[in-house]
Amino acid sequence: MKNTVIIGLFAFGALLTACKPSAEEVNVYSARHYRADEQLFEKFTEATGIRVNVVKANADQLINRLEMEGDMSPADLLMAADAGRLVLAREKGLLQALQSPIIKERVPEHLRDRQGYWTGFTRRARVIAYHKERVNPSELSTYEALAEPVWKGRVLVRSSQAHYNQTLMASIVAALGKEEASAWAGQLVKNMARKPGGNDRDQVKAIVAGEGDVAIINTYYMGLLLNSANEEERAVAREVALFFPNQEERGTHVNVSAIGLTAHAPNAENAQKLVEFLLSEEAQKTIAEVNHEYPVNPTVEWPPLLQSWGRFEMDLLPLDELGKHLETAQMVFHEAGWE
Ligand code: FE
């Protein structure tokens, strides 16, 4: 923590005093909430002498704030745990293109904005978690199949407010079209074990508590539970396994944590260095080992836990096209009554 200054949303004055104009620094507005990031920023500061100042809030709050601040914004980078938020930020004119050959070299095209406005730097798979005793993985196949009557009262998932679900739904709209996506969502809501709520970890806990049998979650939350300091959480994780859906067709939905250079970045050069650092082998390994996310850089080796979950086919939908489907996804949730 020594080189990283974490600042709350409303402590803007503190940010300004913390930023001595002569010091080399970079200002990050981050919606990520993982301990791994503090380690990454520390390593970056050690390697470059550039201090990282972080403002944390949820992605929509950060986007609003960038809009309000305009060209007075101290932010250099916007970081979120979802590609959809970066797509929206670009649409609002809050970002500028980063021309970095390193990004093109290290990040597959479908995981970044092809004009350079943002890039994924961690990859996450949204999968089906299931109870090892009550569900046989041979019963599982696709996201779509969770809408079948056999799953009535057994499906757990968080609310439609969650960006992870919004981006998943956008990918389903892209694959099936609005009508089929709506039909699916309507059936899925009928199969839900309870009102959608809580975070991904809570869904896993609800499986073990017997509230439901399957849940839609991001894989790394299983990694976080398995490695939790809390023995109860570790015990919960041991009763649950992961299934990668849609392997026979379009692949499992993947999202990214993404980062983009803000339109008025005062420290653009340092910002580019930080983005390139996040894509380095060292940083990608830290992300995979500490937060159990997948590297975006395909040449970086996976740690044993990720390897144990197996290789999988991923949906290659270009994430910079998500914007076309996010609004429809909202309509689908609304019509389906997915709270
Ligand atoms: Fe998360």
Side-chain angles (χ1 to χ4, degrees), residues 296-325:
V296 284
N297 184 340
T299 66
V300 173
E301 210 191 316
W302 293 3
L305 178 66
L306 302 197
Q307 287 190 31
S308 76
W309 292 334
R311 294 271 157 187
F312 60 95
E313 296 299 325
M314 58 176 157
D315 187 344
L316 297 174
L317 172 76
L319 293 178
D320 62 3
E321 285 182 20
L322 276 175
K324 291 183 198 161
H325 308 293

Side-chain angles (χ1 to χ4, degrees), residues 224-251:
L224 291 170
L225 287 171
L226 283 166
N227 291 283
S228 170
N230 178 334
E231 164 53 26
E232 256 171 66
E233 289 199 329
R234 294 198 300 276
V236 157
R238 287 195 292 269
E239 289 189 46
V240 171
L242 298 177
F243 180 85
F244 290 77
N246 296 67
Q247 289 303 287
E248 304 301 318
E249 10 118 301
R250 67 178 182 273

Side-chain angles (χ1 to χ4, degrees), residues 98-101 261 267-277:
L98 249 176
Q99 298 310 337
S100 160
L261 181 64
N267 307 290
E269 242 173 78
N270 291 347
Q272 176 159 348
K273 284 183 195 156
L274 178 55
V275 173
E276 291 172 351
F277 170 78

Side-chain angles (χ1 to χ4, degrees), residues 33-34 81 124 158 164 200-201 218 220-221 224 257 291 293:
H33 52 90
Y34 314 111
R124 40 267 304 284
R158 63 197 291 181
Y164 302 153
D200 282 2
R201 268 172 282 210
N218 287 349
Y220 56 87
Y221 285 114
L224 291 170
S257 273
N291 208 40
E293 296 175 86

